[in-house]
Each structure stands twice: as structure tokens, then as C-alpha cells.
């Protein structure tokens, strides 16, 4: 093998090893943090859901799923507003009013989403017992300290 081919082979080998180690690290991290690979409750409120005891998770599952459907509708509005802005941005002649309107729609949709998430979070937190609230607080503390 010539020197150039050997060097290229080594670079490819190192890149492959790096990618594999990153994937392995992600899997180990997920396992150690006990986060299921597929959660019935995604991101927005899933962090609260995973702090609950199994019995309470089972009892609240349908409520969480209903809340997810409501949030999904709002997220769709955000994506549509983002697409409107991107389409306006790609026009050969920029139209300031169209760009501003798209940004206004995006801001309103984002604020609506945040308000809904805060409302849902408050509704759920009010249903937690002191032990569950302590687990939520610990989760937030670890997250803020870079533990996640």
C-alpha cells in the first residue's frame, strides 16, 4: 500500500472509530439516565412524565397524549410560519412587509406555544405529590448543572 493510500485509510479508520464512539456514548448515556428509547410522551412535558411513579404515569397517560395533540397543532403553526418566512426570504425581490408579516406570525405562534406549554406544565405540577415535585426539582437542578 502506498504512503498516500495508507494515510487515507488511517483517516477513514479514525473517523469511523470516532462516529462509533459517539453513538456508543449516546446509548450509554441514555441507559444511565434511564430515559426510554421511545417515550409515549415526547419532549415538552416528557421530562415531568418520567419523574412520576409508574402508576401515576399510567393514570395520566391519556391526558398527556391529549396535551401532545394540542401542542402538535401549535407546532404545525410554527413550522408553517417558518416556511412562509423562508419562502419570502428566497424571493428574488425582498418584500419587507411580507417578511415582517411572516416574522409576526412566527412570533405569535411561538408565544402561543410557550404559553400553552407553561399552562400544561402548571396543570401537571399541581397534580404531583411532594416526593414527585422533589424529583422534578432534582431533574431541573441536574439539567441546569449540565448533568444531562
Amino acid at each position: 500500500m502506498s504512503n498516500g493510500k495508507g494515510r487515507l485509510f488511517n483517516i477513514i479508520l479514525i473517523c469511523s472509530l470516532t462516529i462509533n464512539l459517539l453513538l456508543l456514548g449516546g446509548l450509554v448515556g441514555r441507559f444511565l439516565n434511564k430515559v426510554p428509547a421511545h417515550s409515549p410522551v415526547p419532549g415538552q412535558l416528557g421530562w415531568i412524565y418520567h419523574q412520576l411513579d409508574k402508576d401515576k404515569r399510567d393514570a395520566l397517560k391519556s391526558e398527556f397524549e391529549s396535551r401532545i395533540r394540542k401542542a402538535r397543532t401549535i407546532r404545525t403553526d410554527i413550522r408553517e410560519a417558518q416556511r412562509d418566512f423562508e419562502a419570502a426570504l428566497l424571493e428574488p425581490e425582498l418584500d419587507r412587509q411580507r417578511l415582517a408579516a411572516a416574522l409576526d406570525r412566527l412570533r405569535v405562534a411561538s408565544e402561543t406555544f410557550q404559553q400553552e406549554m407553561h399552562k400544561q406544565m402548571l396543570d401537571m405540577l399541581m397534580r404531583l405529590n411532594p416526593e414527585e415535585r422533589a424529583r422534578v426539582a432534582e431533574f431541573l437542578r441536574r439539567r441546569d448543572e449540565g448533568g444531562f
Side-chain angles (χ1 to χ4, degrees):
M1 190 181 304
S2 74
N3 193 22
K5 287 183 181 180
R7 185 171 182 207
L8 178 62
F9 178 76
N10 286 337
I11 290 171
I12 292 171
L13 185 63
I14 290 170
C15 289
S16 175
L17 182 60
T18 302
I19 291 169
N20 284 314
L21 287 174
L22 283 172
L23 291 173
L24 180 63
L27 292 172
V28 169
R30 183 175 287 274
F31 174 76
L32 291 177
N33 288 319
K34 297 179 182 153
V35 176
H38 176 69
S39 169
V41 180
Q44 296 81 29
L45 294 174
W47 61 275
I48 294 175
Y49 183 81
H50 294 296
Q51 306 310 309
L52 303 175
D53 293 326
K54 182 178 181 345
D55 291 340
K56 190 168 255 182
R57 278 196 315 262
D58 291 345
L60 295 175
K61 185 177 179 183
S62 64
E63 184 176 338
F64 269 92
E65 289 170 345
S66 170
R67 291 172 184 273
I68 290 166
R69 284 189 294 277
K70 186 171 186 178
R72 189 174 295 137
T73 301
I74 300 169
R75 283 195 322 263
T76 299
D77 293 343
I78 291 172
R79 281 191 298 276
E80 288 173 0
Q82 288 169 331
R83 282 193 289 267
D84 289 349
F85 176 75
E86 188 177 321
L89 186 62
L90 294 174
E91 287 294 319
E93 292 290 323
L94 284 181
D95 180 344
R96 184 179 185 91
Q97 289 180 329
R98 183 176 174 202
L99 285 169
L103 286 174
D104 286 344
R105 183 172 172 220
L106 180 58
R107 185 187 70 256
V108 168
S110 296
E111 288 172 355
T112 300
F113 181 76
Q114 187 172 26
Q115 288 172 348
E116 181 60 29
M117 289 301 97
H118 288 173
K119 178 189 173 301
Q120 289 184 17
M121 181 175 60
L122 288 171
D123 290 348
M124 298 312 297
L125 290 173
M126 295 305 296
R127 298 175 75 176
L128 302 182
N129 64 42
E131 180 183 316
E132 291 165 332
R133 289 194 311 269
R135 283 197 305 263
V136 167
E138 175 64 18
F139 171 84
L140 293 172
R141 185 188 61 74
R142 285 188 320 183
R143 184 197 65 190
D144 289 344
E145 293 175 354
F148 265 93

